[in-house]
Amino acid sequence: MAVGAQINFLSRVASPAPAVPVNGDRHGLRGYQRECVEAITGRLSRERGAMAALFTSSGKTRIGAALIHEWPGRVLWLAMRDFLLDQARQRIEELTGEWTTLEQGKNTADGSRICIGSVQTIRGRRLTDWSRTSFSLIVLDEAHHG
């Protein structure tokens, strides 16, 4: 019986170079999670994008949070569903110790380094309100739905 896979897409959209690979002990990563962060960091130092596909409950949000914590610039985390936005926001704040803002509906993200937004909201005028260099990393959670 196959276990369902979920996918996160990470894209470097501006010029800051990724930081040193994450120390697993600091972020509580398991070996395969640490390897994933290092693989993504390495790929993003050479190319514009990277995709990670991991099994359900393998710690994708933890991996993303570790990457975000070490990333030198502003980050946009996009998700398709409300419950995914809430889960990501809570988990990322818990794991990074950083404040996040929400860009959805009447909420506008301003002032934080980490922005959590819905794919449905970040389009049209809201998308053009930000310059192309507003974020140095974009994470698309559950990219296989996009």
Side-chain angles (χ1 to χ4, degrees), residues 1 5 15 29 33 38 50-51 53 71 90 106-107 117 123 132 136 140 142:
M1 181 162 131
S15 58
L29 298 177
Q33 293 169 329
E38 291 172 0
M51 184 175 288
W71 195 259
Q90 289 175 345
K106 293 180 181 179
N107 297 313
R123 61 182 178 171
R132 291 180 56 98
S136 63
L140 180 55
E142 304 275 344

Side-chain angles (χ1 to χ4, degrees), residues 103 105 108 121-130:
E103 182 75 29
T108 56
T121 298
I122 312 292
R123 61 182 178 171
R125 185 192 61 75
R126 279 184 121 153
L127 182 61
T128 59
D129 283 347
W130 286 318

Side-chain angles (χ1 to χ4, degrees), residues 109-122:
D110 52 353
S112 73
R113 188 180 78 84
I114 305 168
C115 171
I116 312 292
S118 71
V119 171
Q120 296 84 353
T121 298
I122 312 292

Side-chain angles (χ1 to χ4, degrees), residues 46-117:
R46 299 182 311 274
E47 299 177 31
R48 280 183 60 94
M51 184 175 288
L54 293 105
F55 291 103
T56 302
S57 299
S58 59
K60 292 174 294 300
T61 305
R62 179 177 288 278
I63 291 166
L67 180 64
I68 288 169
H69 185 72
E70 297 298 322
W71 195 259
R74 193 163 185 222
V75 178
L76 174 62
W77 181 286
L78 294 173
M80 301 281 189
R81 307 205 190 293
D82 289 347
F83 78 93
L84 292 173
L85 295 174
D86 293 336
Q87 285 178 357
R89 184 174 187 191
Q90 289 175 345
R91 197 74 174 126
I92 290 168
E93 283 184 349
E94 175 187 317
L95 294 169
T96 65
E98 293 185 61
W99 173 58
T100 66
T101 52
L102 184 64
E103 182 75 29
Q104 180 193 31
K106 293 180 181 179
N107 297 313
T108 56
D110 52 353
S112 73
R113 188 180 78 84
I114 305 168
C115 171
I116 312 292

